[in-house]
Amino acid sequence: MKRIVILLCAVVFPMACTQEKTVRVTVENPSDFDRLTEMAELPLSALSGKIVLGEGQTYVVRNDRQDTVPAQVTFDGKLIFQAGVKAGERAVYTVSAGAPQGFAPKTYGRFILERKDDFAWENDRVAFRIYGAALAPIDGPSNGLDCWYKRTDRLVIDQWYADDLAGVRSYHEDYGEGMDDYKVGRTLGGGMMAPYAGNRLWLNRNFIGQEVLENGPLRTTFRLTYEPVEVDGERFDESRVFSLDAGSQLTKVTQVYGTKSALPVAAGIVKRGGRDAVFEDLGGAVASVVYAEPESETVGRVYVGMVFPSGLERTLTDTCTLTHAVTGREETHIHLLGVTTYRPATPVTYYTGFGWSKYGFPSADDFRAYIARFAASLREPLILKAEP
């Protein structure tokens, strides 16, 4: 009998030694609403010393059914995946070393050289673009954010550009997947930021440099740099980092100015004429603003929203009159602004994006509810625990 026990141990021990090392990750949702597409973020430091990656390996995430789920290692040292946790519940995942998985991307962005230096990016819900230097001599400077209305979960910007440039289909018309009908011009468009000193906006020009930091499958992040912005005779550098997650209506913006003193700044949404509406929630640590554009027979209704994790000092409506650099015509633009203070060497981070009545948000109340849940998620992040 004793010999049998020894032989069994001899068999079991090598199997244990070659067993795949895993880390158990519990994701808890502390909210009273489901968080099914939100990204769970695990610092790579939580895996350090517990999982050793071999040559050509990456981290593989599996759910409690042992299905491999899409995951991404981010440029800033995180492992992210869509946890899909219902209200008040928790989900268990395991992380191990393995071969890279070929996940279909849900986010994407690139520098569009063939179309006057646009930078465009998208996920399975929304798309955006911002204008580069080559467009300024043709259309005049434009520092605002353009919203591309999508009603498909496919990634479409490459096809939209290719069809438009070839004269096959204009992306200004909806052929069943969405369209670009948002007007930016010399405004902040759908939520860009500018200095707001002396009770006026100081708009910069088009971006002059771009760098892609990561590009899917679950998060796309890039940096844009600008020529120095001038405020009351003082000039300082400006840059922005944009990040977009799968499943989100909002793109994250991290705004950086090279000022050495405190600076009033404002993120703004251009207002339209007609029957529009403004909804604000400035109470608490996280502030939000929603602007419902006037209804259009072609488009329906679009709702632009901004969320500020560090709150706002105030909101206001600003009217500015300027002369168009190319046409020479005088223009008047009205913005809904959220004002805060930029501190030296302390970037301002906020989120901006939109919902469309033709893709998931039949009414303003539907989009307001989404924004309220998004703000609540920032106040109460998903709780992740990693155990060997």
Side-chain angles (χ1 to χ4, degrees):
M1 185 68 179
K2 186 178 293 185
R3 185 179 176 188
I4 293 173
V5 171
I6 293 172
L7 287 174
L8 286 173
C9 289
V11 172
V12 171
F13 182 73
M15 290 175 63
C17 288
T18 58
Q19 196 172 37
E20 185 181 61
K21 289 189 176 180
T22 64
V23 169
R24 184 175 183 269
V25 178
T26 302
V27 183
E28 181 180 348
N29 176 6
S31 308
D32 59 359
F33 55 89
D34 296 345
R35 295 162 76 166
L36 303 180
T37 62
E38 185 177 338
M39 216 60 66
E41 299 187 347
L42 183 69
L44 293 184
S45 58
L47 304 174
S48 179
K50 300 171 185 174
I51 298 176
V52 179
L53 298 180
E55 185 176 353
Q57 288 188 318
T58 189
Y59 296 107
V60 176
V61 180
R62 296 183 178 90
N63 60 23
D64 57 0
R65 298 183 301 276
Q66 291 303 299
D67 300 323
T68 302
V69 301
Q72 177 181 335
V73 174
T74 66
F75 82 102
D76 55 350
K78 299 172 184 174
L79 178 66
I80 63 172
F81 56 97
Q82 288 176 295
V85 191
K86 292 187 176 181
E89 295 186 2
R90 64 181 62 187
V92 177
Y93 293 81
T94 57
V95 182
S96 59
Q101 308 292 304
F103 303 118
K106 294 184 178 181
T107 68
Y108 173 67
R110 75 176 177 94
F111 186 36
I112 315 291
L113 276 168
E114 65 270 30
R115 203 297 210 181
K116 306 297 181 183
D117 293 359
D118 287 356
F119 200 105
W121 66 108
E122 65 178 321
N123 65 4
D124 49 344
R125 299 292 310 171
V126 291
F128 305 93
R129 74 167 163 182
I130 203 159
Y131 304 108
L135 188 64
I138 300 168
D139 284 352
S142 181
N143 195 225
L145 181 66
D146 190 16
C147 302
W148 279 22
Y149 315 145
K150 284 179 59 173
R151 50 192 180 108
T152 174
D153 60 3
R154 292 198 320 108
L155 300 181
V156 298
I157 57 177
D158 276 351
Q159 191 63 56
W160 284 15
Y161 271 110
D163 288 349
D164 188 80
L165 292 169
V168 176
R169 288 180 175 180
S170 169
Y171 51 62
H172 295 293
E173 298 178 21
D174 188 354
Y175 292 93
E177 293 183 328
M179 64 192 302
D180 171 27
D181 190 70
Y182 195 79
K183 306 296 188 296
V184 180
R186 191 61 169 133
T187 75
L188 295 173
M192 285 296 86
M193 181 168 279
Y196 189 73
N199 294 318
R200 57 159 289 193
L201 285 169
W202 299 80
L203 300 176
N204 205 343
R205 297 176 63 86
N206 305 40
F207 73 86
I208 59 172
Q210 56 81 31
E211 178 188 9
V212 176
L213 302 176
E214 59 193 343
N215 211 353
L218 298 176
R219 176 175 292 170
T220 290
T221 306
F222 61 96
R223 178 183 291 109
L224 299 182
T225 54
Y226 295 79
E227 62 184 32
V229 62
E230 182 174 335
V231 180
D232 272 337
E234 182 184 359
R235 291 167 59 85
F236 40 81
D237 294 337
E238 178 180 8
S239 65
R240 295 166 174 157
V241 174
F242 294 85
S243 187
L244 181 62
D245 283 356
S248 179
Q249 300 291 136
L250 308 182
T251 189
K252 182 179 179 181
V253 185
T254 303
Q255 183 82 32
V256 179
Y257 290 111
T259 178
K260 296 181 180 179
S261 56
L263 175 71
V265 294
I269 302 168
V270 60
K271 283 173 60 64
R272 318 295 186 184
R275 299 182 63 180
D276 60 0
V278 175
F279 308 94
E280 301 178 356
D281 183 359
L282 307 183
V286 179
S288 64
V289 177
V290 172
Y291 175 65
E293 294 213 332
E295 188 169 5
S296 161
E297 185 176 339
T298 302
V299 173
R301 291 208 83 169
V302 173
Y303 315 102
V304 184
M306 302 186 295
V307 179
F308 301 86
S310 298
L312 284 174
E313 296 169 8
R314 58 184 171 132
T315 60
L316 58 91
T317 299
D318 176 86
T319 301
C320 62
T321 300
L322 51 86
T323 301
H324 193 280
V326 175
T327 66
R329 291 194 298 265
E330 191 174 84
E331 300 177 345
T332 298
H333 301 293
I334 303 173
H335 286 96
L336 171 64
L337 299 179
V339 181
T340 187
T341 299
Y342 184 92
R343 307 292 178 185
T346 306
V348 174
T349 296
Y350 66 102
Y351 299 80
T352 187
F354 65 93
W356 189 19
S357 61
K358 293 186 179 182
Y359 195 46
F361 299 97
S363 71
D365 286 344
D366 295 312
F367 188 65
R368 290 174 64 195
Y370 174 85
I371 292 294
R373 291 192 298 269
F374 191 97
S377 298
L378 294 176
R379 288 192 295 268
E380 283 190 316
L382 294 172
I383 301 169
L384 272 70
K385 296 180 181 177
E387 302 169 338

